[in-house]
PDB file of all heavy atoms in Angstrom:
ATOM      1  N   MET F   1      17.250  -5.100  11.367  1.00  0.00           N
ATOM      2  CA  MET F   1      17.800  -4.198  12.445  1.00  0.00           C
ATOM      3  C   MET F   1      18.891  -3.327  11.980  1.00  0.00           C
ATOM      4  O   MET F   1      19.611  -3.714  11.135  1.00  0.00           O
ATOM      5  CB  MET F   1      18.101  -4.931  13.612  1.00  0.00           C
ATOM      6  CG  MET F   1      16.939  -5.556  14.385  1.00  0.00           C
ATOM      7  SD  MET F   1      15.881  -4.343  15.079  1.00  0.00           S
ATOM      8  CE  MET F   1      16.813  -3.413  16.155  1.00  0.00           C
ATOM      9  N   TYR F  32       0.252   2.127   4.770  1.00  0.00           N
ATOM     10  CA  TYR F  32      -0.867   1.202   4.902  1.00  0.00           C
ATOM     11  C   TYR F  32      -0.423  -0.237   4.524  1.00  0.00           C
ATOM     12  O   TYR F  32       0.346  -0.250   3.424  1.00  0.00           O
ATOM     13  CB  TYR F  32      -2.118   1.741   4.056  1.00  0.00           C
ATOM     14  CG  TYR F  32      -3.343   1.083   4.171  1.00  0.00           C
ATOM     15  CD1 TYR F  32      -4.193   1.258   5.317  1.00  0.00           C
ATOM     16  CD2 TYR F  32      -3.880  -0.015   3.318  1.00  0.00           C
ATOM     17  CE1 TYR F  32      -5.272   0.689   5.695  1.00  0.00           C
ATOM     18  CE2 TYR F  32      -5.140  -0.436   3.501  1.00  0.00           C
ATOM     19  CZ  TYR F  32      -5.696  -0.212   4.597  1.00  0.00           C
ATOM     20  OH  TYR F  32      -6.948  -0.825   4.869  1.00  0.00           O
ATOM     21  N   PRO F  33      -0.829  -1.368   5.226  1.00  0.00           N
ATOM     22  CA  PRO F  33      -0.289  -2.572   4.873  1.00  0.00           C
ATOM     23  C   PRO F  33      -0.579  -3.004   3.461  1.00  0.00           C
ATOM     24  O   PRO F  33      -1.785  -2.917   3.054  1.00  0.00           O
ATOM     25  CB  PRO F  33      -0.963  -3.512   5.847  1.00  0.00           C
ATOM     26  CG  PRO F  33      -1.392  -2.511   6.942  1.00  0.00           C
ATOM     27  CD  PRO F  33      -1.810  -1.291   6.372  1.00  0.00           C
ATOM     28  N   ILE F  34       0.371  -3.415   2.662  1.00  0.00           N
ATOM     29  CA  ILE F  34       0.216  -3.956   1.267  1.00  0.00           C
ATOM     30  C   ILE F  34       1.313  -4.768   0.799  1.00  0.00           C
ATOM     31  O   ILE F  34       2.445  -4.195   0.786  1.00  0.00           O
ATOM     32  CB  ILE F  34      -0.299  -2.904   0.238  1.00  0.00           C
ATOM     33  CG1 ILE F  34      -0.706  -3.681  -1.018  1.00  0.00           C
ATOM     34  CG2 ILE F  34       0.781  -1.892  -0.046  1.00  0.00           C
ATOM     35  CD1 ILE F  34      -1.527  -2.730  -2.056  1.00  0.00           C
ATOM     36  N   THR F  35       1.115  -5.912   0.484  1.00  0.00           N
ATOM     37  CA  THR F  35       2.068  -6.844   0.019  1.00  0.00           C
ATOM     38  C   THR F  35       2.532  -6.295  -1.485  1.00  0.00           C
ATOM     39  O   THR F  35       1.583  -6.016  -2.180  1.00  0.00           O
ATOM     40  CB  THR F  35       1.604  -8.355  -0.086  1.00  0.00           C
ATOM     41  OG1 THR F  35       1.026  -8.642   1.137  1.00  0.00           O
ATOM     42  CG2 THR F  35       2.555  -9.320  -0.643  1.00  0.00           C
ATOM     43  N   THR F  38       5.000  -4.234   2.587  1.00  0.00           N
ATOM     44  CA  THR F  38       4.696  -3.961   4.023  1.00  0.00           C
ATOM     45  C   THR F  38       5.867  -4.038   4.869  1.00  0.00           C
ATOM     46  O   THR F  38       5.748  -3.299   6.026  1.00  0.00           O
ATOM     47  CB  THR F  38       3.726  -5.193   4.500  1.00  0.00           C
ATOM     48  OG1 THR F  38       2.626  -5.222   3.622  1.00  0.00           O
ATOM     49  CG2 THR F  38       3.230  -4.996   5.850  1.00  0.00           C
ATOM     50  N   ALA F  41       6.936  -0.525   5.914  1.00  0.00           N
ATOM     51  CA  ALA F  41       6.068   0.090   6.935  1.00  0.00           C
ATOM     52  C   ALA F  41       6.410  -0.471   8.471  1.00  0.00           C
ATOM     53  O   ALA F  41       6.650   0.193   9.414  1.00  0.00           O
ATOM     54  CB  ALA F  41       4.639  -0.148   6.708  1.00  0.00           C
ATOM     55  N   GLU F  42       6.619  -1.921   8.406  1.00  0.00           N
ATOM     56  CA  GLU F  42       6.897  -2.419   9.652  1.00  0.00           C
ATOM     57  C   GLU F  42       8.183  -2.058  10.223  1.00  0.00           C
ATOM     58  O   GLU F  42       8.418  -1.784  11.421  1.00  0.00           O
ATOM     59  CB  GLU F  42       6.836  -3.982   9.537  1.00  0.00           C
ATOM     60  CG  GLU F  42       5.448  -4.521   9.294  1.00  0.00           C
ATOM     61  CD  GLU F  42       5.296  -6.009   9.036  1.00  0.00           C
ATOM     62  OE1 GLU F  42       6.529  -6.632   9.017  1.00  0.00           O
ATOM     63  OE2 GLU F  42       4.208  -6.539   9.017  1.00  0.00           O
ATOM     64  N   ALA F  45       8.024   1.523  11.328  1.00  0.00           N
ATOM     65  CA  ALA F  45       7.387   1.706  12.707  1.00  0.00           C
ATOM     66  C   ALA F  45       8.386   1.458  13.884  1.00  0.00           C
ATOM     67  O   ALA F  45       8.216   2.018  15.013  1.00  0.00           O
ATOM     68  CB  ALA F  45       6.148   0.565  12.836  1.00  0.00           C
ATOM     69  N   GLU F  46       9.332   0.507  13.631  1.00  0.00           N
ATOM     70  CA  GLU F  46      10.202   0.142  14.594  1.00  0.00           C
ATOM     71  C   GLU F  46      11.226   1.307  14.725  1.00  0.00           C
ATOM     72  O   GLU F  46      11.814   1.633  15.843  1.00  0.00           O
ATOM     73  CB  GLU F  46      10.818  -1.206  14.319  1.00  0.00           C
ATOM     74  CG  GLU F  46      11.742  -1.868  15.287  1.00  0.00           C
ATOM     75  CD  GLU F  46      12.084  -3.286  14.707  1.00  0.00           C
ATOM     76  OE1 GLU F  46      11.305  -3.989  14.223  1.00  0.00           O
ATOM     77  OE2 GLU F  46      13.423  -3.450  14.767  1.00  0.00           O
ATOM     78  N   PRO F  49      10.737   5.839  15.502  1.00  0.00           N
ATOM     79  CA  PRO F  49      10.714   6.542  16.876  1.00  0.00           C
ATOM     80  C   PRO F  49      12.021   6.613  17.547  1.00  0.00           C
ATOM     81  O   PRO F  49      12.209   7.523  18.406  1.00  0.00           O
ATOM     82  CB  PRO F  49       9.860   5.548  17.691  1.00  0.00           C
ATOM     83  CG  PRO F  49       8.950   4.839  16.638  1.00  0.00           C
ATOM     84  CD  PRO F  49       9.875   4.661  15.461  1.00  0.00           C
ATOM     85  N   LEU F  50      13.058   5.730  17.147  1.00  0.00           N
ATOM     86  CA  LEU F  50      14.330   5.749  17.817  1.00  0.00           C
ATOM     87  C   LEU F  50      15.174   6.901  17.281  1.00  0.00           C
ATOM     88  O   LEU F  50      16.145   7.180  17.865  1.00  0.00           O
ATOM     89  CB  LEU F  50      14.939   4.377  17.583  1.00  0.00           C
ATOM     90  CG  LEU F  50      14.311   3.084  17.887  1.00  0.00           C
ATOM     91  CD1 LEU F  50      15.050   1.950  17.486  1.00  0.00           C
ATOM     92  CD2 LEU F  50      13.967   3.181  19.272  1.00  0.00           C
ATOM     93  N   LYS F  54       8.439  10.066  13.092  1.00  0.00           N
ATOM     94  CA  LYS F  54       7.137   9.630  13.336  1.00  0.00           C
ATOM     95  C   LYS F  54       6.651   8.727  12.278  1.00  0.00           C
ATOM     96  O   LYS F  54       6.694   8.978  11.177  1.00  0.00           O
ATOM     97  CB  LYS F  54       6.279  10.934  13.407  1.00  0.00           C
ATOM     98  CG  LYS F  54       4.625  10.556  13.620  1.00  0.00           C
ATOM     99  CD  LYS F  54       4.378  10.099  15.016  1.00  0.00           C
ATOM    100  CE  LYS F  54       2.961   9.883  15.159  1.00  0.00           C
ATOM    101  NZ  LYS F  54       2.593   9.096  16.509  1.00  0.00           N
ATOM    102  N   PHE F  55       6.079   7.541  12.732  1.00  0.00           N
ATOM    103  CA  PHE F  55       5.363   6.584  11.986  1.00  0.00           C
ATOM    104  C   PHE F  55       3.944   6.701  12.180  1.00  0.00           C
ATOM    105  O   PHE F  55       3.520   6.634  13.275  1.00  0.00           O
ATOM    106  CB  PHE F  55       5.886   5.135  12.231  1.00  0.00           C
ATOM    107  CG  PHE F  55       5.143   4.090  11.538  1.00  0.00           C
ATOM    108  CD1 PHE F  55       5.278   3.725  10.298  1.00  0.00           C
ATOM    109  CD2 PHE F  55       4.053   3.558  12.329  1.00  0.00           C
ATOM    110  CE1 PHE F  55       4.582   2.640   9.769  1.00  0.00           C
ATOM    111  CE2 PHE F  55       3.088   2.525  11.731  1.00  0.00           C
ATOM    112  CZ  PHE F  55       3.471   2.114  10.490  1.00  0.00           C
ATOM    113  N   GLN F  57       0.509   4.637  10.820  1.00  0.00           N
ATOM    114  CA  GLN F  57      -0.262   3.684   9.994  1.00  0.00           C
ATOM    115  C   GLN F  57      -1.591   4.445   9.814  1.00  0.00           C
ATOM    116  O   GLN F  57      -2.447   4.432  10.675  1.00  0.00           O
ATOM    117  CB  GLN F  57      -0.406   2.336  10.460  1.00  0.00           C
ATOM    118  CG  GLN F  57      -0.994   1.416   9.516  1.00  0.00           C
ATOM    119  CD  GLN F  57      -1.236   0.128  10.192  1.00  0.00           C
ATOM    120  OE1 GLN F  57      -0.524  -0.593  10.669  1.00  0.00           O
ATOM    121  NE2 GLN F  57      -2.695  -0.469   9.903  1.00  0.00           N
ATOM    122  N   MET F  58      -1.906   4.790   8.580  1.00  0.00           N
ATOM    123  CA  MET F  58      -3.138   5.546   8.268  1.00  0.00           C
ATOM    124  C   MET F  58      -4.335   4.583   7.908  1.00  0.00           C
ATOM    125  O   MET F  58      -4.140   3.334   7.876  1.00  0.00           O
ATOM    126  CB  MET F  58      -2.789   6.398   6.981  1.00  0.00           C
ATOM    127  CG  MET F  58      -1.782   7.375   7.213  1.00  0.00           C
ATOM    128  SD  MET F  58      -2.093   8.666   8.579  1.00  0.00           S
ATOM    129  CE  MET F  58      -3.391   9.566   7.702  1.00  0.00           C
ATOM    130  N   GLU F  59      -5.508   5.149   7.794  1.00  0.00           N
ATOM    131  CA  GLU F  59      -6.564   4.293   7.507  1.00  0.00           C
ATOM    132  C   GLU F  59      -6.804   3.771   6.166  1.00  0.00           C
ATOM    133  O   GLU F  59      -7.642   2.791   5.909  1.00  0.00           O
ATOM    134  CB  GLU F  59      -7.925   5.211   7.998  1.00  0.00           C
ATOM    135  CG  GLU F  59      -8.063   6.412   7.185  1.00  0.00           C
ATOM    136  CD  GLU F  59      -7.400   7.624   7.793  1.00  0.00           C
ATOM    137  OE1 GLU F  59      -6.404   7.359   8.511  1.00  0.00           O
ATOM    138  OE2 GLU F  59      -7.820   8.717   7.516  1.00  0.00           O
ATOM    139  N   ASP F  60      -6.048   4.453   5.162  1.00  0.00           N
ATOM    140  CA  ASP F  60      -6.050   3.903   3.861  1.00  0.00           C
ATOM    141  C   ASP F  60      -4.892   4.401   3.051  1.00  0.00           C
ATOM    142  O   ASP F  60      -4.045   5.351   3.522  1.00  0.00           O
ATOM    143  CB  ASP F  60      -7.423   4.085   3.112  1.00  0.00           C
ATOM    144  CG  ASP F  60      -7.752   5.577   2.934  1.00  0.00           C
ATOM    145  OD1 ASP F  60      -6.804   6.326   2.820  1.00  0.00           O
ATOM    146  OD2 ASP F  60      -8.936   5.789   2.992  1.00  0.00           O
ATOM    147  N   GLU F  61      -4.901   4.129   1.796  1.00  0.00           N
ATOM    148  CA  GLU F  61      -3.698   4.583   0.968  1.00  0.00           C
ATOM    149  C   GLU F  61      -3.749   5.986   0.624  1.00  0.00           C
ATOM    150  O   GLU F  61      -2.742   6.740   0.517  1.00  0.00           O
ATOM    151  CB  GLU F  61      -3.733   3.648  -0.374  1.00  0.00           C
ATOM    152  CG  GLU F  61      -3.413   2.269  -0.081  1.00  0.00           C
ATOM    153  CD  GLU F  61      -1.950   1.904   0.058  1.00  0.00           C
ATOM    154  OE1 GLU F  61      -1.264   2.895  -0.016  1.00  0.00           O
ATOM    155  OE2 GLU F  61      -1.670   0.637   0.120  1.00  0.00           O
ATOM    156  N   LEU F  89      -4.518   4.287  -5.687  1.00  0.00           N
ATOM    157  CA  LEU F  89      -5.301   5.138  -4.958  1.00  0.00           C
ATOM    158  C   LEU F  89      -4.497   6.397  -4.600  1.00  0.00           C
ATOM    159  O   LEU F  89      -5.126   7.484  -4.339  1.00  0.00           O
ATOM    160  CB  LEU F  89      -5.587   4.450  -3.567  1.00  0.00           C
ATOM    161  CG  LEU F  89      -6.599   3.330  -3.715  1.00  0.00           C
ATOM    162  CD1 LEU F  89      -6.720   2.436  -2.384  1.00  0.00           C
ATOM    163  CD2 LEU F  89      -8.194   4.099  -3.906  1.00  0.00           C
ATOM    164  N   SER F 115      -5.415  -4.699 -10.841  1.00  0.00           N
ATOM    165  CA  SER F 115      -6.309  -4.939  -9.679  1.00  0.00           C
ATOM    166  C   SER F 115      -5.465  -5.749  -8.762  1.00  0.00           C
ATOM    167  O   SER F 115      -4.222  -5.586  -8.659  1.00  0.00           O
ATOM    168  CB  SER F 115      -7.545  -5.730 -10.121  1.00  0.00           C
ATOM    169  OG  SER F 115      -8.473  -5.902  -9.128  1.00  0.00           O
ATOM    170  N   THR F 116      -6.026  -6.732  -7.971  1.00  0.00           N
ATOM    171  CA  THR F 116      -5.383  -7.569  -7.017  1.00  0.00           C
ATOM    172  C   THR F 116      -4.172  -8.259  -7.480  1.00  0.00           C
ATOM    173  O   THR F 116      -3.322  -8.537  -6.957  1.00  0.00           O
ATOM    174  CB  THR F 116      -6.393  -8.197  -5.973  1.00  0.00           C
ATOM    175  OG1 THR F 116      -7.541  -7.463  -5.869  1.00  0.00           O
ATOM    176  CG2 THR F 116      -5.845  -8.560  -4.657  1.00  0.00           C
TER     177      THR F 116
ATOM    178  N   PRO G  44     -10.317  -7.934  -0.137  1.00  0.00           N
ATOM    179  CA  PRO G  44      -9.027  -8.541   0.389  1.00  0.00           C
ATOM    180  C   PRO G  44      -9.101  -8.669   1.822  1.00  0.00           C
ATOM    181  O   PRO G  44      -9.320  -7.690   2.561  1.00  0.00           O
ATOM    182  CB  PRO G  44      -7.961  -7.562  -0.095  1.00  0.00           C
ATOM    183  CG  PRO G  44      -8.526  -6.978  -1.411  1.00  0.00           C
ATOM    184  CD  PRO G  44     -10.020  -6.828  -1.139  1.00  0.00           C
ATOM    185  N   ASN G  65     -15.394 -10.451  -5.101  1.00  0.00           N
ATOM    186  CA  ASN G  65     -14.291  -9.911  -4.446  1.00  0.00           C
ATOM    187  C   ASN G  65     -13.977  -8.604  -4.955  1.00  0.00           C
ATOM    188  O   ASN G  65     -13.454  -8.598  -6.167  1.00  0.00           O
ATOM    189  CB  ASN G  65     -13.251 -10.899  -4.428  1.00  0.00           C
ATOM    190  CG  ASN G  65     -11.761 -10.374  -4.158  1.00  0.00           C
ATOM    191  OD1 ASN G  65     -11.753  -9.319  -3.397  1.00  0.00           O
ATOM    192  ND2 ASN G  65     -10.824 -10.891  -4.764  1.00  0.00           N
ATOM    193  N   PRO G  67     -12.331  -4.374  -4.745  1.00  0.00           N
ATOM    194  CA  PRO G  67     -11.223  -3.689  -4.179  1.00  0.00           C
ATOM    195  C   PRO G  67     -11.300  -3.315  -2.749  1.00  0.00           C
ATOM    196  O   PRO G  67     -12.482  -3.217  -2.300  1.00  0.00           O
ATOM    197  CB  PRO G  67     -11.004  -2.439  -5.128  1.00  0.00           C
ATOM    198  CG  PRO G  67     -11.619  -2.825  -6.390  1.00  0.00           C
ATOM    199  CD  PRO G  67     -12.754  -3.773  -6.156  1.00  0.00           C
ATOM    200  N   PHE G  68     -10.407  -3.184  -2.132  1.00  0.00           N
ATOM    201  CA  PHE G  68     -10.347  -3.037  -0.562  1.00  0.00           C
ATOM    202  C   PHE G  68     -11.290  -1.965  -0.033  1.00  0.00           C
ATOM    203  O   PHE G  68     -11.939  -2.099   0.753  1.00  0.00           O
ATOM    204  CB  PHE G  68      -8.831  -2.749  -0.050  1.00  0.00           C
ATOM    205  CG  PHE G  68      -8.526  -3.279   1.143  1.00  0.00           C
ATOM    206  CD1 PHE G  68      -9.515  -4.042   1.945  1.00  0.00           C
ATOM    207  CD2 PHE G  68      -7.373  -3.127   1.629  1.00  0.00           C
ATOM    208  CE1 PHE G  68      -9.073  -4.591   3.218  1.00  0.00           C
ATOM    209  CE2 PHE G  68      -6.938  -3.584   3.011  1.00  0.00           C
ATOM    210  CZ  PHE G  68      -7.831  -4.347   3.689  1.00  0.00           C
ATOM    211  N   PRO G  69     -11.267  -0.767  -0.664  1.00  0.00           N
ATOM    212  CA  PRO G  69     -12.181   0.215  -0.046  1.00  0.00           C
ATOM    213  C   PRO G  69     -13.626   0.166  -0.444  1.00  0.00           C
ATOM    214  O   PRO G  69     -14.365   1.008  -0.058  1.00  0.00           O
ATOM    215  CB  PRO G  69     -11.579   1.654  -0.713  1.00  0.00           C
ATOM    216  CG  PRO G  69     -10.501   1.233  -1.639  1.00  0.00           C
ATOM    217  CD  PRO G  69     -10.540  -0.207  -1.814  1.00  0.00           C
ATOM    218  N   GLY G  99     -10.074  -4.108   9.321  1.00  0.00           N
ATOM    219  CA  GLY G  99      -9.494  -2.981   8.596  1.00  0.00           C
ATOM    220  C   GLY G  99     -10.288  -2.618   7.348  1.00  0.00           C
ATOM    221  O   GLY G  99     -10.379  -1.463   7.103  1.00  0.00           O
ATOM    222  N   GLY G 100     -10.828  -3.628   6.750  1.00  0.00           N
ATOM    223  CA  GLY G 100     -11.705  -3.348   5.592  1.00  0.00           C
ATOM    224  C   GLY G 100     -13.079  -2.733   5.815  1.00  0.00           C
ATOM    225  O   GLY G 100     -13.714  -2.287   5.097  1.00  0.00           O
ATOM    226  N   ASP G 103     -11.403   0.996   8.758  1.00  0.00           N
ATOM    227  CA  ASP G 103     -10.373   1.908   8.260  1.00  0.00           C
ATOM    228  C   ASP G 103     -10.734   2.221   6.743  1.00  0.00           C
ATOM    229  O   ASP G 103     -11.510   3.146   6.451  1.00  0.00           O
ATOM    230  CB  ASP G 103      -8.995   1.353   8.240  1.00  0.00           C
ATOM    231  CG  ASP G 103      -8.385   1.123   9.756  1.00  0.00           C
ATOM    232  OD1 ASP G 103      -8.913   1.671  10.650  1.00  0.00           O
ATOM    233  OD2 ASP G 103      -7.542   0.433   9.896  1.00  0.00           O
ATOM    234  N   ILE G 104     -10.246   1.464   5.963  1.00  0.00           N
ATOM    235  CA  ILE G 104     -10.394   1.806   4.430  1.00  0.00           C
ATOM    236  C   ILE G 104     -11.805   1.677   3.875  1.00  0.00           C
ATOM    237  O   ILE G 104     -12.176   2.372   2.873  1.00  0.00           O
ATOM    238  CB  ILE G 104      -9.298   0.969   3.552  1.00  0.00           C
ATOM    239  CG1 ILE G 104      -9.123   1.489   2.145  1.00  0.00           C
ATOM    240  CG2 ILE G 104      -9.760  -0.481   3.422  1.00  0.00           C
ATOM    241  CD1 ILE G 104      -7.931   0.955   1.323  1.00  0.00           C
ATOM    242  N   TYR G 129      -4.617  -6.321  10.797  1.00  0.00           N
ATOM    243  CA  TYR G 129      -4.497  -6.769   9.359  1.00  0.00           C
ATOM    244  C   TYR G 129      -3.848  -8.092   9.360  1.00  0.00           C
ATOM    245  O   TYR G 129      -2.631  -8.076   9.201  1.00  0.00           O
ATOM    246  CB  TYR G 129      -3.821  -5.690   8.507  1.00  0.00           C
ATOM    247  CG  TYR G 129      -4.596  -4.422   8.244  1.00  0.00           C
ATOM    248  CD1 TYR G 129      -4.579  -3.469   9.237  1.00  0.00           C
ATOM    249  CD2 TYR G 129      -5.442  -4.299   7.165  1.00  0.00           C
ATOM    250  CE1 TYR G 129      -5.323  -2.377   9.006  1.00  0.00           C
ATOM    251  CE2 TYR G 129      -6.046  -3.057   6.837  1.00  0.00           C
ATOM    252  CZ  TYR G 129      -5.923  -2.125   7.837  1.00  0.00           C
ATOM    253  OH  TYR G 129      -6.790  -0.970   7.598  1.00  0.00           O
ATOM    254  N   THR G 132      -2.085  -9.518   5.877  1.00  0.00           N
ATOM    255  CA  THR G 132      -0.815  -9.068   5.404  1.00  0.00           C
ATOM    256  C   THR G 132       0.310  -9.209   6.458  1.00  0.00           C
ATOM    257  O   THR G 132       1.393  -8.631   6.486  1.00  0.00           O
ATOM    258  CB  THR G 132      -0.849  -7.602   5.034  1.00  0.00           C
ATOM    259  OG1 THR G 132      -1.510  -6.888   6.084  1.00  0.00           O
ATOM    260  CG2 THR G 132      -1.415  -7.331   3.820  1.00  0.00           C
ATOM    261  N   GLY G 133       0.005 -10.036   7.645  1.00  0.00           N
ATOM    262  CA  GLY G 133       0.956 -10.266   8.602  1.00  0.00           C
ATOM    263  C   GLY G 133       0.799  -9.628  10.075  1.00  0.00           C
ATOM    264  O   GLY G 133       1.731  -9.521  10.723  1.00  0.00           O
ATOM    265  N   GLN G 135      -0.538  -6.294  10.975  1.00  0.00           N
ATOM    266  CA  GLN G 135      -0.442  -4.858  11.327  1.00  0.00           C
ATOM    267  C   GLN G 135      -1.589  -4.324  12.157  1.00  0.00           C
ATOM    268  O   GLN G 135      -2.688  -4.863  11.786  1.00  0.00           O
ATOM    269  CB  GLN G 135      -0.121  -4.039  10.079  1.00  0.00           C
ATOM    270  CG  GLN G 135       1.137  -4.469   9.266  1.00  0.00           C
ATOM    271  CD  GLN G 135       0.852  -5.741   8.400  1.00  0.00           C
ATOM    272  OE1 GLN G 135      -0.248  -6.020   8.020  1.00  0.00           O
ATOM    273  NE2 GLN G 135       2.007  -6.441   8.140  1.00  0.00           N
ATOM    274  N   ARG G 136      -1.443  -3.300  12.777  1.00  0.00           N
ATOM    275  CA  ARG G 136      -2.544  -2.701  13.630  1.00  0.00           C
ATOM    276  C   ARG G 136      -3.617  -2.245  12.647  1.00  0.00           C
ATOM    277  O   ARG G 136      -3.357  -1.870  11.554  1.00  0.00           O
ATOM    278  CB  ARG G 136      -2.026  -1.641  14.584  1.00  0.00           C
ATOM    279  CG  ARG G 136      -1.261  -0.380  13.908  1.00  0.00           C
ATOM    280  CD  ARG G 136      -2.250   0.664  13.483  1.00  0.00           C
ATOM    281  NE  ARG G 136      -3.090   1.247  14.471  1.00  0.00           N
ATOM    282  CZ  ARG G 136      -4.133   2.084  14.377  1.00  0.00           C
ATOM    283  NH1 ARG G 136      -4.389   2.487  12.997  1.00  0.00           N
ATOM    284  NH2 ARG G 136      -4.822   2.570  15.355  1.00  0.00           N
ATOM    285  N   SER G 137      -4.843  -2.125  13.264  1.00  0.00           N
ATOM    286  CA  SER G 137      -5.934  -1.481  12.568  1.00  0.00           C
ATOM    287  C   SER G 137      -6.647  -0.553  13.380  1.00  0.00           C
ATOM    288  O   SER G 137      -6.256  -0.476  14.771  1.00  0.00           O
ATOM    289  CB  SER G 137      -6.957  -2.516  11.953  1.00  0.00           C
ATOM    290  OG  SER G 137      -7.829  -2.874  13.061  1.00  0.00           O
ATOM    291  N   ALA G 147       2.491  -5.910  14.306  1.00  0.00           N
ATOM    292  CA  ALA G 147       3.758  -5.741  13.420  1.00  0.00           C
ATOM    293  C   ALA G 147       4.054  -4.200  13.261  1.00  0.00           C
ATOM    294  O   ALA G 147       5.223  -3.864  12.879  1.00  0.00           O
ATOM    295  CB  ALA G 147       3.593  -6.337  12.036  1.00  0.00           C
ATOM    296  N   THR G 148       3.131  -3.326  13.312  1.00  0.00           N
ATOM    297  CA  THR G 148       3.324  -1.892  13.059  1.00  0.00           C
ATOM    298  C   THR G 148       3.168  -1.233  14.461  1.00  0.00           C
ATOM    299  O   THR G 148       3.318   0.125  14.620  1.00  0.00           O
ATOM    300  CB  THR G 148       2.479  -1.298  12.142  1.00  0.00           C
ATOM    301  OG1 THR G 148       1.210  -1.654  12.239  1.00  0.00           O
ATOM    302  CG2 THR G 148       3.047  -1.600  10.788  1.00  0.00           C
ATOM    303  N   THR G 149       2.810  -1.786  15.531  1.00  0.00           N
ATOM    304  CA  THR G 149       2.856  -1.293  16.947  1.00  0.00           C
ATOM    305  C   THR G 149       3.697  -2.258  17.768  1.00  0.00           C
ATOM    306  O   THR G 149       3.167  -2.792  18.712  1.00  0.00           O
ATOM    307  CB  THR G 149       1.464  -1.043  17.478  1.00  0.00           C
ATOM    308  OG1 THR G 149       0.786  -2.375  17.480  1.00  0.00           O
ATOM    309  CG2 THR G 149       0.610  -0.074  16.776  1.00  0.00           C
ATOM    310  N   PRO G 150       5.010  -2.183  17.434  1.00  0.00           N
ATOM    311  CA  PRO G 150       5.809  -3.252  18.149  1.00  0.00           C
ATOM    312  C   PRO G 150       6.075  -2.812  19.601  1.00  0.00           C
ATOM    313  O   PRO G 150       5.809  -1.717  19.987  1.00  0.00           O
ATOM    314  CB  PRO G 150       7.131  -3.195  17.291  1.00  0.00           C
ATOM    315  CG  PRO G 150       7.168  -1.745  16.680  1.00  0.00           C
ATOM    316  CD  PRO G 150       5.745  -1.424  16.466  1.00  0.00           C
ATOM    317  N   ARG G 153      12.162  -0.913  22.361  1.00  0.00           N
ATOM    318  CA  ARG G 153      12.729   0.533  22.827  1.00  0.00           C
ATOM    319  C   ARG G 153      11.726   1.652  22.323  1.00  0.00           C
ATOM    320  O   ARG G 153      11.446   1.725  21.154  1.00  0.00           O
ATOM    321  CB  ARG G 153      14.102   0.855  22.249  1.00  0.00           C
ATOM    322  CG  ARG G 153      15.257   0.214  23.122  1.00  0.00           C
ATOM    323  CD  ARG G 153      16.528   0.684  22.638  1.00  0.00           C
ATOM    324  NE  ARG G 153      16.841   0.314  21.263  1.00  0.00           N
ATOM    325  CZ  ARG G 153      17.568   0.905  20.462  1.00  0.00           C
ATOM    326  NH1 ARG G 153      18.223   2.024  20.848  1.00  0.00           N
ATOM    327  NH2 ARG G 153      17.781   0.548  19.123  1.00  0.00           N
ATOM    328  N   GLY G 154      11.299   2.398  23.246  1.00  0.00           N
ATOM    329  CA  GLY G 154      10.350   3.636  22.932  1.00  0.00           C
ATOM    330  C   GLY G 154       8.997   3.120  22.259  1.00  0.00           C
ATOM    331  O   GLY G 154       8.335   3.897  21.630  1.00  0.00           O
ATOM    332  N   ASP G 159      -1.099   2.355  20.858  1.00  0.00           N
ATOM    333  CA  ASP G 159      -1.230   3.541  21.898  1.00  0.00           C
ATOM    334  C   ASP G 159      -2.520   4.145  21.895  1.00  0.00           C
ATOM    335  O   ASP G 159      -2.808   5.196  22.700  1.00  0.00           O
ATOM    336  CB  ASP G 159      -0.017   4.492  21.764  1.00  0.00           C
ATOM    337  CG  ASP G 159      -0.080   5.234  20.441  1.00  0.00           C
ATOM    338  OD1 ASP G 159      -0.956   4.928  19.576  1.00  0.00           O
ATOM    339  OD2 ASP G 159       0.664   6.220  20.256  1.00  0.00           O
TER     340      ASP G 159
END
Side-chain angles (χ1 to χ4, degrees):
Chain F
M1 288 300 293
Y32 191 72
I34 186 163
T35 306
T38 307
E42 292 181 352
E46 192 179 309
L50 304 179
K54 178 70 178 170
F55 165 90
Q57 187 185 309
M58 298 297 290
E59 61 274 22
D60 61 32
E61 297 280 3
L89 286 168
S115 191
T116 319
Chain G
N65 158 32
F68 213 2
D103 291 343
I104 197 168
Y129 289 85
T132 46
Q135 298 80 23
R136 60 88 56 190
S137 78
T148 49
T149 55
R153 273 190 302 156
D159 64 353

